[in-house]
Amino acid sequence: MKDQIQRLLQDRVNQSIKELNESSCPKVERKKESLERRQAEIIKTSATGRIRLMEEEGENTFIYYDVHMQYLLKQRGLIYIEEEVEHRRSAFYQNVLIGDDEQPIPVQQNADIYPSMEDEVEYRSAYQYDRLKAAQYAERWWNSYNPAFKTFEVDCTNFISQCLHAGGAPMRGYPGRGSGWWMQNNNWSYSWTVANSLKWYLSSSRSGLRARQVNDPQELKIGDVICYDFQGDGRFDHNTIVTGKDADGMPLVNAHTYNSRMRYWAYEDSSAYTPNIKYRFFTIVDDQ
């Protein structure tokens, strides 16, 4: 069975590359269309696989594994590497493969909780946001997890909060989970970990970590934040941090949950993408 699993893993990696080269699925087609619009192309693709978990239920066996994709991209005079980790599950019945699918992004708990600003007292903590340190943190931990912080199944906002804090953004509001922005003593605010709550915090906070919403992604700088409402229903599902710019000055971003590095900001190649997607662009404000 072990040898069969290893063969499956290698077959799936090869299939991922084949899909990319042949545009044989909607996700890949959207990626290639996006690259074409940007006058960019894939020079080389590589992939590796890693088994995360194996479960047995009677005569059924389920294999959960990751495919780490790397794309060497060229956009006019700019060459860079984009990376993405895709979570997949294969199902066997009596050691025969009966299914292999990409795993959907889990639904985040407490997504309907909005941070309270009623008790906010405006103060100044005199910090200057260090964008380079925030981006360096995002590069260091984009595909791993800092043991100094708790890890969540839906980890995108926790990761972005860590990046912002690494850039010097001060925590405040402890111990009220519904107010402020903080993680302390194995506890945390909703705004630290929940995508929708962080979006509302960035749009409303007058103290500590603050941000200004802009209309054009080109206005964003390294260390700024993009929020994603995939369904367009007003509840934001995902957050990323800007870690680079492409040849047109458009953001490239890092993220967790489906771990990504230097990914084009629009997420058109995401399995969560819908035509109704909405974005919010936030540039972090210094507090001096």
Side-chain angles (χ1 to χ4, degrees):
M1 182 64 177
K2 183 177 179 181
D3 290 342
Q4 187 174 7
I5 292 170
Q6 292 299 331
R7 286 197 300 272
L8 161 71
L9 194 56
Q10 188 57 55
D11 287 347
R12 178 56 217 168
V13 169
N14 294 338
Q15 182 64 24
S16 296
I17 297 173
K18 182 179 179 181
E19 289 175 355
L20 180 69
N21 291 333
E22 296 180 356
S23 297
S24 57
C25 70
K27 176 179 176 179
V28 174
E29 289 176 358
R30 290 197 302 267
K31 185 178 189 69
K32 286 201 165 185
E33 288 170 2
S34 173
L35 288 169
E36 186 176 352
R37 286 194 298 271
R38 297 165 56 209
Q39 296 181 298
E41 61 179 322
I42 299 172
I43 300 174
K44 183 180 180 181
T45 302
S46 64
T48 56
R50 180 180 69 87
I51 297 172
R52 292 186 290 112
L53 177 67
M54 183 174 74
E55 295 179 340
E56 295 189 14
E57 299 178 4
E59 295 182 291
N60 296 303
T61 302
F62 301 98
I63 309 297
Y64 297 83
Y65 66 102
D66 294 340
V67 177
H68 180 176
M69 304 292 296
Q70 293 181 305
Y71 312 103
L72 181 62
L73 302 179
K74 180 179 181 181
Q75 187 187 27
R76 298 188 290 282
L78 178 67
I79 296 177
Y80 68 95
I81 296 175
E82 175 186 325
E83 301 183 70
E84 177 189 358
V85 177
E86 185 176 285
H87 305 317
R88 302 194 66 87
R89 188 189 80 156
S90 290
F92 292 85
Y93 176 72
Q94 295 182 343
N95 296 343
V96 176
L97 178 65
I98 59 174
D100 183 82
D101 302 289
E102 183 179 0
Q103 291 296 99
I105 296 175
V107 176
Q108 189 165 28
Q109 299 298 313
N110 302 313
D112 291 320
I113 295 178
Y114 296 80
S116 172
M117 299 297 171
E118 293 180 0
D119 59 348
E120 181 169 344
V121 177
E122 190 165 350
Y123 68 95
R124 291 291 176 265
S125 53
Y127 78 92
Q128 185 171 1
Y129 183 52
D130 192 325
R131 297 176 177 277
L132 179 59
K133 285 186 177 179
Q136 288 173 335
Y137 187 97
E139 286 285 273
R140 167 64 180 84
W141 297 104
W142 80 269
N143 197 28
S144 58
Y145 301 87
N146 187 341
F149 294 89
K150 182 176 175 61
T151 300
F152 298 85
E153 182 181 22
V154 183
D155 200 62
C156 64
T157 304
N158 177 42
F159 173 63
I160 298 307
S161 290
Q162 291 175 36
C163 295
L164 293 169
H165 186 58
M171 299 182 191
R172 69 169 183 84
Y174 175 83
R177 297 194 72 185
S179 62
W181 175 78
W182 55 271
M183 175 173 277
Q184 187 175 335
N185 297 333
N186 203 34
N187 201 356
W188 52 88
S189 66
Y190 295 118
S191 59
W192 184 278
T193 61
V194 179
N196 197 46
S197 292
L198 178 61
K199 181 267 176 186
W200 281 101
Y201 183 83
L202 292 176
S203 64
S204 305
S205 176
R206 302 189 306 274
S207 305
L209 170 62
R210 294 182 298 124
R212 176 173 55 86
Q213 185 174 329
V214 298
N215 295 321
D216 189 334
Q218 284 186 301
E219 297 182 58
L220 296 177
K221 305 174 184 176
I222 300 299
D224 284 337
V225 174
I226 302 177
C227 304
Y228 300 75
D229 172 5
F230 288 118
Q231 300 297 325
D233 58 6
R235 187 175 69 180
F236 284 76
D237 314 284
H238 187 55
N239 297 305
T240 66
I241 185 168
V242 179
T243 52
K245 291 290 188 81
D246 73 359
D248 295 323
M250 300 298 283
L252 304 173
V253 299
N254 288 23
H256 265 194
T257 303
Y258 269 28
N259 299 352
S260 303
R261 175 183 177 271
M262 299 292 280
R263 188 173 187 169
Y264 189 64
W265 70 272
Y267 261 60
E268 293 165 325
D269 60 340
S270 170
S271 57
Y273 177 87
T274 76
N276 298 321
I277 192 170
K278 295 179 181 178
Y279 310 91
R280 294 293 183 272
F281 310 110
F282 290 100
T283 186
I284 306 304
V285 177
D286 293 332
D287 208 345
Q288 298 178 342

